[in-house]
Amino acid sequence: MSETVKLKFSTKRIKIIFTLSLVCAALSFLWAVMVFFFNIYDLSYFLITVSLLFVTAALLSKKGFPGFARILFILLFNISISYVSSYLGKGASVEFFLMFAVGVPFIIFSHNRDKIKIFIFSLVPILFWLLLFLTDFNLFVDVKLKNALKVRNIVYYFSITIGLLLVVFQLIFYSYGNARINKQAHSKKQKAIDASNAKSQFLSTMSHEIRTPLNAVIGLSHILGDNNPRKDQVQNIEALNYSGKILLNLLNNVLDFSKMESTNIELDNIPVNLYEAIKQIKKVHEASCFKKGLTMNLEIDKEIPIVWLDIVRFNQVINNLVANAIKFTEKGSITLKIKNINQTKKTINLLTEIIDTGIGIPKDKQETIWEAFTQASSQTNRLYGGTGLGLPIVKSIVKAMGAKVKIDSNLNKGSRFYFEITLKKASDKELEKTNKKKAYNFKGKKALLVEDNDFNVLVGKQILEKVNLQVQIARDGLTAVNLAKETHFDIILMDIQMPIMDGYTASKEIRKFNSKTPILALSASVFMKAKDKIKECGMNGFIYKPFDPDDLLNQIQEVTTIH
């Protein structure tokens, strides 16, 4: 069978045409035998011919001509019923089959493509019935049968029985087909669930394995920067910290895309001074522009008020778009604009634009670049690299903010990405409250740090001891359980993936004899399943790796104050 036929006709529809044709061939042959027994030879020969034609229709459907086969089937079905009805008269009730014939087109034609054919061929049996009625059932022949009443009575019961058998056959055929389709759908659904779980497990493991050393890189560079380094060391420390954050951003893009496939993005809006925040973004990207000889321009309205905004997600959008602009621009400039286009007492409309003088994007590719793992061309991918996830993530975040990111671009003339968002205004007091730097002092309090990675132990211990926490180390979950039995701790920081006993199991064991001491999970997994499992094990919260020192200390203060 040709590929075109396979595309146009499903295997199920071809099977229906084939099976119905063979069933009708068998029934026609039975009719032929019965009427031959009553010496109605002409009708018997006609039905034998019809039976052979039904077999032909079945073979045509299998040989790659289902379109022709189904039309032949419907015409044969209607003509044969009308001919037999005309021969035997109204008393035989053979026209009962015409009711079945009305529904046949719905079975063998596609509901999407063949609506007109369904309508036309459903009218055919109605037309034949009207013609039979108007001709007093003498449409094809006008023959006086011997023993007509006896023949008609037998044929009547035979026609009713065959009609019911056809209906039962149809019900059984469809029930069996639907049951098999449901079974296949369930099997495919289960395979999809298993594949999704495998993907989540893989990403969770990779997240942990990559974030753990990243925690050391970012954490140690942060500590080195806080310990009054020499002037000749500052640049190297900043480069180390920046490289770690770039790698973390790449990892977050992959994980964010995985999450965005199945869940909606939840925004965490806080009071933000957008002017100050955007200046930091410029500092991050100026070095990359300088290396390529590009000019980095920042045009932001200084009069923009304090606004409620998820600055982390907003920065992710700007960073991805600016990084893309730098990547695809060899000379000229990168311009980041944020303009106040309208405001009320409570809200403000901001237009954000990222403009470059780079290679541009062809018109026919300006829709596909928003698809995951897609770039404008394979040559672009070879020359510039990248995962192809930056723009899909930008699109998802901007959509969560209630807007749509758009593009104006011409090949070799540059690109302009822009979007308009509406934000609620915040007050200076709300900003001060958010930005107020907390002074931490945990003098006299004990912390148990459960961590198997030496670098993370080094980073975590230095951060905790700097705020006067007495730190004890456990390298696995079992050791943590034993230490928690022997010593009172004010806080337990529990890594999740460890040898001997993992963090989940260790937390459950600790909760059997200690329900008060707060336990914070140090998790490199960003998936909801991990968060749900953390709660189930009796932990009081979680901190992502690599962790921000202030975030870590803030959470420790919150849970220790509550408990």
Side-chain angles (χ1 to χ4, degrees), residues 38-290:
F38 289 114
N39 301 321
I40 311 174
Y41 301 119
D42 291 343
L43 181 57
S44 179
Y45 299 147
F46 169 79
L47 289 170
I48 288 171
T49 304
V50 168
S51 179
L52 292 172
L53 288 172
F54 273 126
V55 172
T56 303
L59 293 173
L60 285 171
S61 67
K62 279 289 185 182
K63 294 294 182 180
F65 303 99
F68 183 72
R70 61 186 181 172
I71 293 173
L72 176 62
F73 170 82
I74 287 178
L75 292 175
L76 279 172
F77 195 82
N78 284 282
I79 291 170
S80 59
I81 292 168
S82 301
Y83 188 88
V84 172
S85 296
S86 179
Y87 215 104
L88 299 177
K90 185 178 181 180
S93 294
V94 178
E95 77 279 6
F96 174 77
F97 291 123
L98 291 174
M99 293 174 64
F100 181 82
V102 172
V104 169
F106 292 90
I107 302 170
I108 64 175
F109 285 102
S110 167
H111 294 184
N112 296 324
R113 295 190 306 269
D114 302 320
K115 289 178 182 177
I116 295 175
K117 290 179 181 176
I118 291 172
F119 176 74
I120 292 171
F121 285 106
S122 293
L123 291 178
V124 170
I126 296 172
L127 176 64
F128 273 110
W129 188 88
L130 284 172
L131 290 172
L132 284 167
F133 179 79
L134 293 172
T135 59
D136 195 25
F137 284 78
N138 295 319
L139 178 61
F140 290 103
V141 292
D142 183 9
V143 180
K144 303 291 184 182
L145 295 176
K146 294 178 181 179
N147 302 319
L149 184 62
K150 181 182 177 181
V151 172
R152 284 169 182 160
N153 285 338
I154 293 171
V155 171
Y156 169 77
Y157 290 113
F158 188 76
S159 64
I160 294 295
T161 304
I162 295 299
L164 289 173
L165 285 174
L166 273 173
V167 173
V168 170
F169 162 77
Q170 185 179 349
L171 289 173
I172 292 172
F173 188 88
Y174 264 85
S175 298
Y176 172 74
N178 288 337
R180 194 172 67 174
I181 289 169
N182 288 337
K183 186 178 179 181
Q184 290 173 349
H186 177 76
S187 176
K188 288 179 180 178
K189 180 183 177 182
Q190 190 58 47
K191 286 179 181 178
I193 291 170
D194 292 342
S196 178
N197 289 338
K199 182 184 75 171
S200 294
Q201 182 61 40
F202 170 75
L203 288 172
S204 181
T205 303
M206 289 303 296
S207 170
H208 182 273
E209 294 302 319
I210 297 172
R211 282 173 179 269
T212 298
L214 263 181
N215 188 50
V217 172
I218 295 172
L220 284 173
S221 60
H222 176 86
I223 291 167
L224 289 171
D226 276 353
N227 287 341
N228 299 317
R230 298 194 312 266
K231 286 184 178 181
D232 61 316
Q233 295 175 328
V234 171
Q235 192 172 359
N236 291 339
I237 293 170
E238 287 178 351
L240 178 64
N241 189 265
Y242 177 74
S243 298
K245 287 179 178 177
I246 289 293
L247 185 55
L248 179 61
N249 185 58
L250 176 63
L251 176 64
N252 285 338
N253 277 349
V254 176
L255 296 174
D256 274 352
F257 175 73
S258 177
K259 287 189 292 179
M260 288 171 193
E261 282 185 306
S262 55
T263 59
N264 293 324
I265 299 171
E266 293 182 4
L267 300 176
D268 182 18
N269 294 326
I270 60 171
V272 174
N273 183 330
L274 200 54
Y275 182 75
E276 294 298 326
I278 296 301
K279 282 201 303 185
Q280 296 301 317
I281 290 177
K282 183 182 179 183
K283 287 181 182 178
V284 169
H285 293 284
E286 267 185 331
S288 300
C289 287
F290 181 76

Side-chain angles (χ1 to χ4, degrees), residues 410-429:
N410 291 301
L411 202 59
N412 300 319
K413 291 184 179 180
S415 302
R416 171 180 172 253
F417 289 85
Y418 61 100
F419 57 92
E420 184 183 325
I421 54 174
T422 301
L423 303 174
K424 290 182 180 179
K425 293 180 181 179
S427 66
D428 291 336
K429 286 184 179 180

Side-chain angles (χ1 to χ4, degrees), residues 446 472 482-489 514 517:
K446 292 182 179 179
Q472 196 161 346
N482 293 330
L483 285 172
K485 286 179 180 178
E486 299 167 1
T487 310
H488 167 74
F489 293 101
N514 184 337
T517 302

Side-chain angles (χ1 to χ4, degrees), residues 448-473:
L448 175 61
L449 177 59
V450 190
E451 174 64 70
D452 65 316
N453 183 278
D454 290 335
F455 289 111
N456 287 343
V457 168
L458 177 64
V459 173
K461 192 174 180 183
Q462 287 191 51
I463 291 170
L464 297 174
E465 287 180 342
K466 198 170 183 179
V467 291
N468 299 316
L469 269 168
Q470 298 176 33
V471 183
Q472 196 161 346
I473 306 298

Side-chain angles (χ1 to χ4, degrees), residues 292-312:
K292 296 185 74 172
L294 304 173
T295 304
M296 177 81 183
N297 300 317
L298 176 60
E299 299 176 17
I300 177 169
D301 289 350
K302 293 183 180 180
E303 302 303 319
I304 292 175
I306 309 301
V307 292
W308 286 94
L309 176 67
D310 187 333
I311 190 61
V312 174

Side-chain angles (χ1 to χ4, degrees), residues 333-550:
S333 63
I334 310 296
T335 303
L336 170 58
K337 293 182 180 181
I338 300 181
K339 292 191 291 188
N340 172 7
I341 57 175
N342 186 37
Q343 66 176 311
T344 65
K345 287 184 178 180
K346 294 183 178 180
T347 63
I348 181 169
N349 284 21
L350 296 178
L351 175 65
T352 302
E353 302 172 273
I354 294 86
I355 304 165
D356 66 63
T357 56
I359 62 174
I361 303 166
K363 295 289 184 184
D364 60 333
K365 299 294 183 182
Q366 289 180 15
E367 289 297 324
T368 59
I369 59 169
W370 302 108
E371 297 171 10
F373 309 107
T374 303
Q375 293 193 352
S377 68
S378 56
Q379 185 181 8
T380 302
N381 193 21
R382 286 195 303 271
L383 289 173
Y384 300 99
T387 61
L389 290 176
L391 290 180
I393 290 169
V394 165
K395 180 182 177 182
S396 298
I397 295 173
V398 173
K399 184 179 178 182
M401 291 178 172
K404 181 180 180 181
V405 61
K406 300 176 183 178
I407 178 175
D408 290 332
S409 185
N410 291 301
L411 202 59
N412 300 319
K413 291 184 179 180
S415 302
R416 171 180 172 253
F417 289 85
Y418 61 100
F419 57 92
E420 184 183 325
I421 54 174
T422 301
L423 303 174
K424 290 182 180 179
K425 293 180 181 179
S427 66
D428 291 336
K429 286 184 179 180
E430 287 170 324
L431 179 65
E432 287 173 16
K433 187 178 178 181
T434 304
N435 292 342
K436 188 177 180 181
K437 195 167 180 68
K438 291 185 178 180
Y440 304 101
N441 191 343
F442 298 100
K443 192 171 184 179
K445 293 186 181 289
K446 292 182 179 179
L448 175 61
L449 177 59
V450 190
E451 174 64 70
D452 65 316
N453 183 278
D454 290 335
F455 289 111
N456 287 343
V457 168
L458 177 64
V459 173
K461 192 174 180 183
Q462 287 191 51
I463 291 170
L464 297 174
E465 287 180 342
K466 198 170 183 179
V467 291
N468 299 316
L469 269 168
Q470 298 176 33
V471 183
Q472 196 161 346
I473 306 298
R475 300 284 180 169
D476 59 75
L478 183 59
T479 304
V481 174
N482 293 330
L483 285 172
K485 286 179 180 178
E486 299 167 1
T487 310
H488 167 74
F489 293 101
D490 296 284
I491 183 70
I492 298 174
L493 302 173
M494 182 75 71
D495 186 28
I496 297 300
Q497 295 186 21
M498 294 180 293
I500 304 176
M501 183 184 288
D502 63 37
Y504 297 125
T505 308
S507 297
K508 285 182 179 178
E509 292 298 315
I510 291 171
R511 285 296 179 235
K512 288 178 181 178
F513 59 85
N514 184 337
S515 61
K516 293 184 177 180
T517 302
I519 303 174
L520 291 177
L522 299 177
S523 174
S525 176
V526 295
F527 293 96
M528 287 304 297
K529 286 183 180 179
K531 293 179 185 178
D532 293 339
K533 203 169 180 181
I534 283 166
K535 291 178 182 177
E536 288 171 11
C537 296
M539 300 188 202
N540 303 91
F542 56 89
I543 299 163
Y544 291 137
K545 292 180 183 176
F547 51 75
D548 179 83
D550 287 328

